[in-house]
Amino acid sequence: MKMAAPTASKAASLGCNNKPAFPELDFRSGARVEELNKLIQEFTKHDQREYDDQRALEIHTAKDFIFSMLGMVQKLDQKLPVANEYLLLSGGVREGVVDLDLDELNVYARGTDYDMDFTLLVPALKLHDRNQPVTLDMRHSALCHSWLSLRLFDEGTISKWKDCCTIVDHINGATNYFFSPTKVADWFYDSISIVLSEIQKKPQRGMPKVEKVEKNGTIISIILGVGSSRMLYDIVPVVSFKGWPAVAQSWLMENHFWDGKITEEEVISGFYLVPACSYKGKKDNEWRLSFARSEVQLKKCISSSLMQAYQACKAIIIKLLSRPKAISPYHLRSMMLWACDRLPANYLAQEDYAAHFLLGLMDDLQHCLVNKMCPNYFIPQCNMLEHLSEETVMLHARKLSSVRSDPAEHLRTAIEHVKAANRLTLELQRRGSTTSIPSPQSDGGDPNQPDDRLAKKLQQLVTENPGKSISVFINPDDVTRPHFRIDDKFF
């Protein structure tokens, strides 16, 4: 017996033409999308701390101290360029702000060891006079890596840096000096230690307290106490290039999500070699290509909801998938950039889609693990998971599967962790102490006193702008220098 098709009125009464009354659910976990969005917003609120004027002043004082220290390092033996250009990134090496996944990194925790973290890329060498694509010596290295011969530089540079090179003698009698990331890092750590020792002999009023100085593989980690703040600086010696590497030239020919939003000149203004070798590389010779300068520009084109999802996803999975070592925050960042190229811009711009983006990033990561494939965004032929064993990737894939089956619970755990870190920071501030280790610098005056030069600048601004709101402001799009904000204008 045939059933008659429902009439339009009956269909309407059944709700066929209406939006479903039940909430939107995640098919895999059954979690309510609305609840996931609220949890991501709560995580973001606790993870992104607002800086008042005092904290902004402390950030500036610490940065000024680090830059002054590097100026003294340059004067020791004139190895560093006189006119140097640093890239200061918000977030430490452990946060994946650069592709520098080192085995020797000590574990520091926000709240316990520091309140804010930064990564500072310091060029030991600069090659800034070339307009054509830069060709590197990649014959001895894995993709995304290179050796660096000092033949590219003048005799004076070779003479200064000989002691930080490995030497290769060719059959024809010529000697080639290859810039060594490990030797450069050793020299940098020794030089910083000498400078800090000299500074400690002549402490000045308001100077930050150096709570910790450690060499972590090829980076130098410094924790400073300024007033009520503890700041971690991961200082990375790099080689800086203007232009673009020839190995990544084909990437420029493709369509990208940033097309029309920022210029190609902004994206390809320069790149770095950072001191990290490949899985089977020679540590003394091999550097890794880094596109950190470009990534700062690309970040401007990523929607706030996708960035919130990325930060929440990173907080959930990084510690969970850290042992055995396989996945770093940089892998997740690369997947996010690929997603931006793959998906429509108007979809990624949806403000209430953070939950969809979080679940999508987890699915992308699961796909990369199962297929043992994560292409570098700038050099796609470089698979960043190629070296992992089948056993390792499947172990992590199973761990991620458990997270994906209950994302709400893992978000709540991430929220509790960041709230606990914030509580610990506030407790230390209330005690009025930023360190458990006495510092020689503390004899030079009250560490809560601001830097005199900055105080004079602020006093001048107060005098010239009566009745206006004035504060020191660190611009998130340009953290290479401090800004003064008067009402809504920046200086």
Side-chain angles (χ1 to χ4, degrees):
M1 180 177 175
K2 290 186 177 180
M3 296 285 291
T7 62
S9 60
K10 188 174 182 180
S13 69
L14 291 172
C16 297
N17 294 333
N18 296 332
K19 187 175 180 180
F22 49 81
E24 187 180 3
L25 301 177
D26 169 37
F27 188 92
R28 172 70 189 90
S29 65
R32 293 177 57 166
V33 170
E34 183 183 6
E35 181 189 10
L36 293 178
N37 274 326
K38 288 180 179 177
L39 288 169
I40 293 170
Q41 288 171 8
E42 185 179 356
F43 172 82
T44 302
K45 180 182 73 173
H46 294 293
D47 189 51
Q48 294 181 350
R49 292 133 290 149
E50 292 292 330
Y51 298 154
D52 57 18
D53 290 359
Q54 180 63 31
R55 179 60 64 89
L57 187 62
E58 290 166 356
I59 292 172
H60 173 79
T61 302
K63 180 169 68 66
D64 199 46
F65 177 83
I66 292 290
F67 284 10
S68 299
M69 177 197 74
L70 291 171
M72 295 175 69
V73 169
Q74 194 280 329
K75 290 176 183 176
L76 278 182
D77 51 15
Q78 283 77 48
K79 273 187 163 71
L80 292 180
V82 176
N84 218 346
E85 183 181 347
Y86 311 135
L87 181 64
L88 180 60
L89 303 167
S90 180
V93 166
R94 295 155 191 79
E95 291 294 305
V97 295
V98 285
D99 186 11
L100 196 68
D101 199 18
L102 301 176
D103 293 327
E104 301 93 339
L105 279 177
N106 290 339
V107 178
Y108 301 146
R110 183 159 75 85
T112 304
D113 301 299
Y114 64 91
D115 307 316
M116 288 162 288
D117 53 342
F118 301 93
T119 297
L120 185 65
L121 304 188
V122 178
L125 288 175
K126 297 195 302 182
L127 205 59
H128 283 188
D129 57 349
R130 298 192 167 206
N131 294 318
Q132 69 271 28
V134 180
T135 302
L136 298 167
D137 187 353
M138 307 180 80
R139 296 170 297 171
H140 316 284
S141 346
L143 271 169
C144 286
H145 295 79
S146 178
W147 290 21
L148 181 67
S149 170
L150 289 194
R151 284 180 179 176
L152 295 170
F153 300 87
D154 57 68
E155 286 298 324
T157 301
I158 294 173
S159 176
K160 275 195 293 189
W161 284 105
K162 270 184 183 179
D163 57 341
C164 289
C165 292
T166 57
I167 301 171
V168 177
D169 292 319
H170 293 282
I171 299 174
N172 61 9
T175 299
N176 203 348
Y177 296 94
F178 286 101
F179 206 42
S180 168
T182 52
K183 292 185 177 183
V184 170
D186 289 341
W187 164 82
F188 205 21
Y189 176 70
D190 291 342
S191 298
I192 286 176
S193 299
I194 291 170
V195 165
L196 289 178
S197 176
E198 288 299 312
I199 290 174
Q200 287 179 185
K201 293 176 184 176
K202 301 175 182 178
Q204 296 180 7
R205 182 170 174 263
M207 185 163 52
K209 292 183 288 186
V210 181
E211 300 187 3
K212 189 173 290 186
V213 183
E214 291 184 343
K215 185 170 175 287
N216 289 278
T218 51
I219 71 168
I220 292 89
S221 297
I222 299 177
I223 296 180
L224 298 177
V226 189
S228 61
S229 302
R230 297 161 302 161
M231 283 161 244
L232 166 64
Y233 270 84
D234 284 329
I235 302 177
V236 186
V238 300
V239 182
S240 174
F241 294 86
K242 288 290 187 188
W244 199 246
V247 68
Q249 199 69 19
S250 61
W251 178 80
L252 295 175
M253 304 298 110
E254 305 294 332
N255 293 324
H256 298 290
F257 71 98
W258 48 266
D259 293 336
K261 297 177 182 176
I262 52 177
T263 65
E264 186 173 287
E265 287 71 24
E266 289 176 286
V267 174
I268 64 169
S269 61
F271 69 100
Y272 299 100
L273 294 181
V274 296
C277 72
S278 60
Y279 180 64
K280 293 183 178 178
K282 188 174 180 182
K283 284 190 175 183
D284 287 345
N285 281 19
E286 195 171 86
W287 299 76
R288 179 178 294 161
L289 275 76
S290 169
F291 299 92
R293 186 186 292 272
S294 302
E295 287 161 2
V296 169
Q297 300 298 325
L298 297 184
K299 187 179 177 182
K300 299 176 184 177
C301 305
I302 298 175
S303 70
S304 59
S305 51
L306 179 55
M307 282 304 302
Q308 288 174 10
Y310 163 75
Q311 295 292 352
C313 188
K314 183 174 71 169
I316 290 171
I317 68 167
I318 293 309
K319 287 184 179 177
L320 184 73
L321 304 187
S322 63
R323 294 288 182 270
K325 191 173 180 181
I327 295 296
S328 76
Y330 193 82
H331 291 107
L332 190 64
R333 176 182 288 208
S334 300
M335 294 169 203
M336 178 176 65
L337 292 172
W338 281 118
C340 289
D341 273 357
R342 184 176 71 243
L343 296 164
N346 56 355
Y347 168 75
L348 293 173
Q350 296 298 312
E351 292 184 2
D352 57 348
Y353 273 35
H356 296 284
F357 302 153
L358 171 69
L359 299 172
L361 286 170
M362 288 184 182
D363 291 340
D364 261 9
L365 182 53
Q366 184 96 41
H367 175 83
C368 289
L369 283 167
V370 169
N371 291 280
K372 209 169 77 168
M373 173 65 71
C374 181
N376 181 282
Y377 181 66
F378 299 92
I379 307 177
Q381 59 270 37
C382 172
N383 174 14
M384 297 188 292
L385 299 183
E386 185 177 28
H387 64 280
L388 297 179
S389 68
E390 296 292 336
E391 181 184 9
T392 296
V393 294
M394 289 312 297
L395 172 64
H396 285 312
R398 285 193 292 271
K399 287 182 182 178
L400 187 59
S401 178
S402 69
V403 176
R404 184 64 181 83
S405 65
D406 194 357
E409 182 58 31
H410 286 85
L411 272 172
R412 291 188 194 99
T413 301
I415 290 168
E416 287 307 311
H417 284 167
V418 72
K419 286 168 71 175
N422 290 340
R423 282 196 299 269
L424 192 53
T425 294
L426 290 171
E427 179 61 29
L428 286 169
Q429 288 174 354
R430 276 195 292 268
R431 291 177 189 172
S433 172
T434 62
T435 178
S436 58
I437 305 170
S439 171
Q441 283 103 314
S442 60
D443 297 332
D446 182 0
N448 291 291
Q449 291 297 320
D451 177 87
D452 285 343
R453 286 166 297 168
L454 193 60
K456 288 176 183 176
K457 178 67 174 175
L458 279 171
Q459 185 58 51
Q460 179 187 348
L461 289 170
V462 169
T463 304
E464 294 173 356
N465 296 274
K468 294 186 178 180
S469 171
I470 300 174
S471 61
V472 183
F473 182 78
I474 305 300
N475 187 335
D477 294 326
D478 177 15
V479 291
T480 58
R481 58 195 176 95
H483 298 262
F484 292 93
R485 181 181 66 194
I486 301 178
D487 289 341
D488 293 327
K489 294 181 180 178
F490 298 95
F491 297 84

